[in-house]
Amino acid sequence: MKRRALAALLVLTLLVLGGCAGDGQEARVQISWYLLTEDVALYNSLKGIARIEDATGVDVVFQSPPDNSEDAYKMMVASGKLPDVIMWDYSASTDRMFEEGTIIDLTDLIAQYAPNLTRLYEERPELRREVETADGRLFYFPSINPLLTVEDVCRRSYSGLIIRQDWLDKLGLPVPQTIDDWYEVLCAFRNRDPNGNDYMDEIPFDGWGLPYFAPAFGVLNTFCIKPDGTVAFGPMEQEYKAYLETMHKWYTEGLLGSNCLIHSDAWKTENIVNGLTGAFCGLDNAWRYYLPRMQENDAGAALVAAPWPQNGQGVRYTPRGEAATHMALPVTVITSACKDPVSAVRFIDYMYSEEGSALVTWGIEGETYEVVDGRKQLTDYALTVAEDGYLTLHHYAIGHTSFPKYDGENVVLATYPEDQLVAEETWADASTALIYPRAITLSAEDKAFCDSVMEDVSTYLTEMELKFISGEEPLSSFDTFVAQLERMGVGEGTGDLPAGLRGLPGAMSAEGSGQDEEHP
């Protein structure tokens, strides 16, 4: 009996002395978080995330698939061995992920345990409209750009038209402002040997990016809002025919390189760095990615961002769909395997607070940033390069990662060289009026139908665009092309926003594939 009493006393003593977590604090909740990264160890050591963990009593362990493999991600989902949280691209509809049992409905959880995000949705109802389903449910946490300042818009304007400034200077030409200006400049690049090697080997415009000229004609190469306010599938409109006629003319006159049609990233890069390409579509990092290699061959090489071409009324329209949406990809979901979704929601919601958003973007006040005249500024310490080659800032926070947050993306601008900032400012200076509003959503059933239609349409459209531009198919067949699109079901999504098919635009956009190959 005494032994039992002694044993019970010993157990009680151990519980008092060592069994409680940190001076009476409860044990912290463990949350696994799956994301796309090449350095998961960096994310697991972020000091800003550690502060959020302390504030919420949650420990997050980031995971990533081998080699950032999409296949590995799909295999994980198929296996049913899910993490608690997934931050992944929006390639799969969250409605569908919910129906398949992969993720949970967050509507009630957000209402009860996410006061910061709820407040944002109440203060700015348009934000909620961009993320909720057709029946008002919430399936994911977005990364939100307020789009209230020039800097906000710049962060949505990270690619555009780029041209050789030194070639313009040599030929005495200004940066082109209109389609006619572009024709004049490209002809001069073809005819006047701006690279100075005594050969007519210049490629005036090369690589993917021709759809970026379509807005100057009043349409996009996807669903859009025409200047008269009607909804249209751009490639079915007469304005798009005019765009194709111009591109065909440029192609037959030798103003467009073959990469405009075949989209070889490797060939495009070789042509640019070897001084053959006069203009191209690229990212804002072209000044860091291309220019140093260009200058190895030509010390005087220089690039400049060209504004979106004006239409006949002097209006510039951006084709970049991101410029008209507050939300960034990827999005964050909670899986059906999460054992404590309330703790996960509370952790994520803290990221939407002013302090939380700062912690995942700017880092820690007094260490990586300070507030001067009401504006955050990075410290010199934040901009030093650590031994592993990362900015010191990126051991605290990684602002370009689409963590759930509100604001804070502007920290990325603070790390940019001047040329990159000027490029984003140039491309941001345009109207988003042509872009179909992403806040218009579909039911899962309608979206599945639209996706199936648009998959076939996308293939057909790409094929016919190449044929029209190259001349393999005469533009006299344009009406036949439009009729085929109508038979494929596209015409049902045009006109005055019919209720059932409002989400067709999600399948294709002017950004397309191939525009982001310049990332090192």
Side-chain angles (χ1 to χ4, degrees):
M1 189 71 177
K2 287 183 179 179
R3 287 183 181 177
R4 291 181 182 176
L6 198 58
L9 180 61
L10 179 59
V11 170
L12 180 62
T13 302
L14 289 173
L15 286 172
V16 171
L17 294 178
C20 296
D23 296 326
Q25 294 181 4
E26 295 182 2
R28 286 156 69 123
V29 176
Q30 303 288 319
I31 296 292
S32 54
W33 187 309
Y34 199 87
L35 80 168
L36 184 68
T37 177
E38 295 178 354
D39 193 346
V40 72
L42 178 67
Y43 280 83
N44 279 317
S45 63
L46 289 173
K47 296 179 181 179
I49 292 293
R51 289 286 182 96
I52 298 176
E53 290 174 327
D54 291 339
T56 59
V58 173
D59 283 338
V60 170
V61 178
F62 291 107
Q63 305 170 357
S64 187
D67 302 319
N68 287 333
S69 167
E70 180 80 17
D71 289 338
Y73 164 74
K74 292 178 180 177
M75 289 175 63
M76 176 202 69
V77 173
S79 72
K81 297 178 180 179
L82 300 170
D84 298 307
V85 175
I86 296 177
M87 190 167 78
W88 203 260
D89 205 342
Y90 200 41
S91 54
S93 162
T94 51
D95 302 54
R96 183 174 171 184
M97 293 173 75
F98 173 73
E99 289 183 348
E100 293 174 349
T102 304
I103 64 174
I104 63 174
D105 186 339
L106 298 171
T107 311
D108 293 338
L109 286 166
I110 288 174
Q112 294 179 56
Y113 303 110
N116 294 301
L117 182 57
T118 298
R119 173 181 52 80
L120 291 173
Y121 285 163
E122 289 174 348
E123 292 176 354
R124 300 190 62 184
E126 73 275 17
L127 299 180
R128 177 168 178 141
R129 286 196 295 271
E130 284 194 41
V131 302
E132 66 183 4
T133 63
D135 57 1
R137 292 185 293 175
L138 301 171
F139 288 145
Y140 64 86
F141 295 98
S143 181
I144 305 173
N145 183 327
L147 292 182
L148 296 175
T149 67
V150 172
E151 290 85 358
D152 292 339
V153 179
C154 283
R155 285 299 302 137
R156 287 289 190 266
S157 306
Y158 51 79
S159 73
L161 299 169
I162 301 173
I163 196 165
R164 287 286 297 261
Q165 177 69 70
D166 55 317
W167 288 15
L168 292 174
D169 293 342
K170 181 177 181 179
L171 302 179
L173 297 170
V175 175
Q177 305 293 317
T178 65
I179 293 295
D180 288 343
D181 292 345
W182 270 96
Y183 180 70
E184 179 183 354
V185 165
L186 296 181
C187 286
F189 284 176
R190 178 195 61 194
N191 299 332
R192 297 172 59 186
D193 190 31
N195 67 11
N197 65 358
D198 296 326
Y199 293 98
M200 292 183 64
D201 58 354
E202 289 83 358
I203 305 171
F205 189 96
D206 198 31
W208 187 94
L210 298 186
Y212 279 8
F213 291 101
F217 295 83
V219 290
L220 302 178
N221 73 331
T222 180
F223 286 85
C224 58
I225 308 296
K226 293 180 64 176
D228 64 5
T230 59
V231 180
F233 185 60
M236 299 173 71
E237 300 299 301
Q238 289 301 309
E239 293 90 339
Y240 202 77
K241 181 180 181 181
Y243 152 75
L244 290 173
E245 288 171 342
T246 298
M247 296 302 106
H248 172 62
K249 176 182 179 180
W250 288 9
Y251 184 80
T252 57
E253 294 185 9
L255 305 183
L256 304 179
S258 59
N259 280 319
C260 291
L261 302 184
I262 62 177
H263 305 166
S264 168
D265 296 343
W267 288 2
K268 172 185 174 180
T269 297
E270 285 298 306
N271 290 337
I272 292 172
V273 301
N274 289 319
L276 299 178
T277 299
F280 58 95
C281 168
L283 289 171
D284 55 11
N285 68 357
W287 286 260
R288 293 182 288 117
Y289 183 56
Y290 289 129
L291 192 57
R293 287 187 283 174
M294 293 167 62
Q295 292 176 337
E296 290 176 5
N297 300 317
D298 180 357
L303 298 172
V304 64
W308 303 115
Q310 296 175 355
N311 66 5
Q313 291 72 46
V315 179
R316 303 185 194 279
Y317 293 108
T318 177
R320 297 296 301 181
E322 296 92 340
T325 177
H326 299 88
M327 310 305 165
L329 297 178
V331 298
T332 299
V333 296
I334 296 179
T335 75
S336 54
C338 182
K339 293 183 176 60
D340 192 344
V342 171
S343 292
V345 169
R346 283 174 167 159
F347 180 92
I348 293 170
D349 183 64
Y350 193 88
M351 294 170 138
Y352 290 106
S353 68
E354 184 176 352
E355 180 182 3
S357 289
L359 286 169
V360 295
T361 53
W362 291 86
I364 296 176
E365 185 173 2
E367 296 183 39
T368 53
Y369 77 94
E370 51 193 23
V371 179
V372 179
D373 296 328
R375 293 176 64 88
K376 295 182 180 70
Q377 294 182 3
L378 291 177
T379 61
D380 292 340
Y381 170 69
L383 295 173
T384 59
V385 179
E387 292 183 1
D388 57 8
Y390 291 110
L391 287 179
T392 298
L393 169 66
H394 293 157
H395 286 275
Y396 286 75
I398 304 177
H400 57 267
T401 296
S402 294
F403 278 127
K405 61 181 182 288
Y406 180 79
D407 206 357
E409 289 190 11
N410 297 344
V411 66
V412 179
L413 302 180
T415 67
Y416 281 179
E418 183 66 20
D419 285 333
Q420 198 165 355
L421 284 172
V422 170
E424 289 200 356
E425 291 170 355
T426 299
W427 298 326
D429 184 18
S431 170
T432 61
L434 292 181
I435 298 170
Y436 192 95
R438 295 192 179 187
I440 296 174
T441 56
L442 283 178
S443 68
E445 181 181 356
D446 283 345
K447 188 176 189 306
F449 168 74
C450 293
D451 287 347
S452 66
V453 169
M454 294 311 296
E455 184 176 355
D456 293 336
V457 167
S458 179
T459 301
Y460 177 67
L461 176 60
T462 299
E463 175 188 339
M464 293 304 297
E465 283 180 332
L466 297 181
K467 288 182 176 181
F468 283 138
I469 292 172
S470 67
E472 182 179 347
E473 185 77 27
L475 277 159
S476 58
S477 300
F478 185 78
D479 290 346
T480 302
F481 160 71
V482 171
Q484 176 60 22
L485 288 173
E486 290 176 343
R487 284 193 292 272
M488 297 175 78
V490 180
E492 296 180 64
T494 61
D496 297 319
L497 292 175
L501 295 173
R502 290 178 174 176
L504 280 169
M508 291 185 298
S509 64
E511 18 316 6
S513 61
Q515 84 280 11
D516 291 341
E517 69 276 12
E518 295 83 14
H519 274 308

